[in-house]
Amino acid sequence: MPKSKVRKKADYTPSPVSRTPVKVKAGPSPVWYVAIMLGFMLAGLLWLLVYYLAAEKISWMNDLNAWNFLIGFGLMVIGLIMTMRWR
């Protein structure tokens, strides 16, 4: 059986535009940003802990019922979303 012709592929050359350095505009995050970020995460954790341990003694928290989960996890998610902008 005859051998088929092999087509030569063109070599890949990266475009010079993609090799230009990009200057980062912003520096590191301020200390207060990190404190607020961690504060949200800890506040959500504390909310859930208080709900589990003392909801019967706190009437307004007991009235919220399952909304306590949304509040606690919501606070933690806000803190986690803030980590995406942390430098």
Side-chain angles (χ1 to χ4, degrees), residues 12-54:
Y12 175 74
T13 56
S15 64
V17 176
S18 65
R19 297 185 53 96
T20 58
V22 177
K23 185 175 182 180
V24 177
K25 295 179 181 177
S29 297
V31 176
W32 59 266
Y33 187 84
V34 177
I36 292 174
M37 175 184 69
L38 293 174
F40 272 119
M41 287 189 259
L42 288 174
L45 180 65
L46 286 174
W47 186 280
L48 291 175
L49 283 174
V50 169
Y51 172 65
Y52 273 117
L53 298 176

Side-chain angles (χ1 to χ4, degrees), residues 66-85:
W67 286 99
N68 286 302
F69 293 113
L70 179 68
I71 294 168
F73 285 118
L75 289 169
M76 287 191 280
V77 167
I78 290 170
L80 288 173
I81 289 172
M82 288 178 72
T83 61
M84 289 190 270
R85 294 188 51 111

